[in-house]
Amino acid sequence: MRIGAAALLLFWTLGGVAAAAQSVAQDRHSAEIESTLTRIKLPPGFSIALYALAPRARTLAIGREGKAIFVGAEEKDVYAITPGQKTAAAVERFAPSMPFSMPHGVCFSNGGALFLVERNRVTRFDDAENTWRDAAANAKIVVKSGDLVPRNEESRGHSSRVCRIGPDDKLYISLGQPHNVAPRDKLALYEKTGIGGIIRMNLDGSQREVFATGIRNSVGMAFDTDGSLWFTDNQVDSMGDDRPPGEINRADRAGLNFGFPWYGGGHVRTNEYARAEPPKDVVFPVVETAPHAADLGVMFYRGDMFPKEYKGAMFYAQHGSWDRSVPIGARVMVTRAGTTASTPFAEGWNDGSGSYLGRPVDVAELADGSLLVTDDQNGAIYRITYQAP
């Protein structure tokens, strides 16, 4: 893929200050990535190709008009992709003049507003597909810096926020708690603020409430057609290679408790809370996943490109193990509609040597029914397509 090796600088004026749109070169190490993709195993008829390069690419928000795709990362950058036919037409840094801190969460409202959730701030950009080049001038603060979580609870760990707009037209945000196992003296604060849970609010930031609790660190959410919220949850470390399992949970209403920190994953109790009485109303996962595979982005497939058996299926990315003697994961999984069993859909980034050739993070569906997958290790976005054999 070649979209220009040199950075292209486009200047415009924002409130009398010259700002620069910075393109991202698309020829760096692309040949190496494309070589790796020849190792990826997919079901018959499916193929995978490099779509774009974006350093540390993590989360995806695809505009409904087909004019732009936004990519969140973990450090300071957000990217805007101009879609092309088989590959991206251009990749540029989004709002490069704005200082971001872990701008990980990106999601679109039904009205076309892009929400950007950082470690401790939420910003809204109206009509983002058409006005993103003027993003800094159009930015509206929904939750000001320091109000998403208390300042003294800011952390590098478990602060990769994700967001979704629900069928109730409210903004849902996951707030991972910053510990392996939350200490007892933090539980009351976390329950009150929604840390270790999911919060929701109106699109202007008003009427914030805690939607769900008992969640260690969710980095993937998706709404099903029945209005229920499904989310992945990364579970407790340092309990051995094969326990506890990861989780995919379903919340069909507000107020549910999903068991952490009394449970470290599935029905496995944590050592720290083994003798403590857990809440009586704990909701256990619908799908238990491989221990320490790091389940992240999740979505339901609604398109028509893939065979009919994939309609309504849940796809999710496994980032891969760090807390396991033999790493697993680094693949895209699928759970067919009406089942609770997951099977590998795209795999091969884990070469079995103890290291990874890539690490999938998020999955999202393009209008044509193809599937995009981010890989933060390679700073890449892949496109998976299907053609009947």
Side-chain angles (χ1 to χ4, degrees):
M1 178 174 64
R2 299 289 186 271
I3 309 177
L8 173 64
L9 295 180
L10 301 174
F11 293 94
W12 73 94
T13 300
L14 295 177
V17 179
Q22 304 168 359
S23 70
V24 178
Q26 296 296 293
D27 58 352
R28 56 181 179 79
H29 70 272
S30 59
E32 179 183 349
I33 293 173
E34 288 166 344
S35 176
T36 296
L37 292 182
T38 64
R39 305 167 57 112
I40 303 305
K41 298 177 183 179
L42 290 154
F46 288 92
S47 60
I48 186 170
L50 180 61
Y51 185 76
L53 294 177
R56 302 295 295 172
R58 294 275 294 185
T59 56
L60 292 162
I62 298 177
R64 294 190 175 189
E65 297 180 31
K67 296 178 180 179
I69 300 166
F70 295 92
V71 184
E74 272 198 314
E75 296 300 326
K76 60 180 181 179
D77 292 319
V78 182
Y79 304 96
I81 295 177
T82 302
Q85 290 296 320
K86 293 184 179 180
T87 62
V91 181
E92 299 174 58
R93 284 182 171 82
F94 172 77
S97 65
M98 294 183 67
F100 294 130
S101 175
M102 299 183 70
H104 188 271
V106 285
C107 57
F108 269 109
S109 73
N110 293 328
L114 176 72
F115 287 84
L116 174 61
V117 183
E118 301 172 66
R119 171 169 53 183
N120 207 353
R121 182 174 67 172
V122 182
T123 309
R124 170 177 173 159
F125 304 89
D126 289 334
D127 194 22
E129 282 191 87
N130 296 299
T131 66
W132 68 265
R133 292 186 183 280
D134 297 322
N138 296 329
K140 299 176 181 177
I141 302 301
V142 174
V143 180
K144 68 180 182 180
S145 182
D147 282 359
L148 190 58
V149 298
R151 289 280 193 189
N152 58 2
E153 295 300 327
E154 285 188 2
S155 170
R156 287 291 304 173
H158 301 168
S159 294
S160 300
R161 319 295 186 201
V162 292
C163 63
R164 287 292 182 268
I165 307 300
D168 53 5
D169 206 33
K170 290 181 179 289
L171 174 64
Y172 289 71
I173 300 171
S174 66
L175 298 179
Q177 56 79 48
H179 303 274
N180 182 34
V181 178
R184 295 172 190 270
D185 62 357
K186 295 287 188 178
L187 295 188
L189 172 65
Y190 288 0
E191 184 172 356
K192 177 182 178 181
T193 58
I195 296 174
I198 296 170
I199 62 171
R200 68 178 174 184
M201 65 189 71
N202 291 336
L203 301 187
D204 62 1
S206 63
Q207 295 186 20
R208 170 176 170 164
E209 63 178 328
V210 178
F211 175 75
T213 58
I215 301 167
R216 182 174 178 269
N217 183 38
S218 175
V219 196
M221 297 191 295
F223 281 94
D224 202 354
T225 53
D226 63 0
S228 60
L229 177 62
W230 293 68
F231 59 93
T232 57
D233 194 7
N234 288 197
Q235 295 305 313
V236 172
D237 300 318
S238 303
M239 296 189 75
D241 275 6
D242 300 316
R243 61 196 295 266
E247 295 185 356
I248 299 179
N249 293 284
R250 176 179 181 267
D252 61 357
R253 63 189 185 278
L256 299 180
N257 185 312
F258 292 89
F260 179 80
W262 297 270
Y263 295 90
H267 290 76
V268 177
R269 296 296 300 271
T270 58
N271 296 328
E272 292 82 350
Y273 288 81
R275 296 183 179 182
E277 182 70 22
K280 298 185 182 302
D281 56 352
V282 166
V283 177
F284 291 100
V286 177
V287 180
E288 291 192 0
T289 64
H292 309 299
D295 310 299
L296 300 184
V298 61
M299 57 153 279
F300 290 96
Y301 186 76
R302 308 299 180 199
D304 296 318
M305 177 184 286
F306 292 4
K308 62 181 181 180
E309 58 263 32
Y310 290 96
K311 197 78 166 184
M314 180 170 56
F315 287 89
Y316 61 97
Q318 288 187 336
H319 195 230
S321 310
W322 69 266
D323 183 41
R324 200 173 190 278
S325 60
V326 179
I328 58 174
R331 57 194 177 184
V332 177
M333 304 291 288
V334 63
T335 301
R336 305 288 180 88
T339 72
T340 59
S342 296
T343 56
F345 176 73
E347 60 179 341
W349 289 284
N350 182 355
D351 65 2
S353 68
S355 60
Y356 297 116
L357 301 174
R359 303 190 75 180
V361 177
D362 199 11
V363 285
E365 184 184 328
L366 287 175
D368 65 359
S370 60
L371 199 67
L372 293 186
V373 180
T374 57
D375 172 352
D376 64 346
Q377 176 172 301
N378 290 317
I381 302 167
Y382 312 121
R383 180 171 175 254
I384 297 177
T385 56
Y386 177 80
Q387 186 173 3

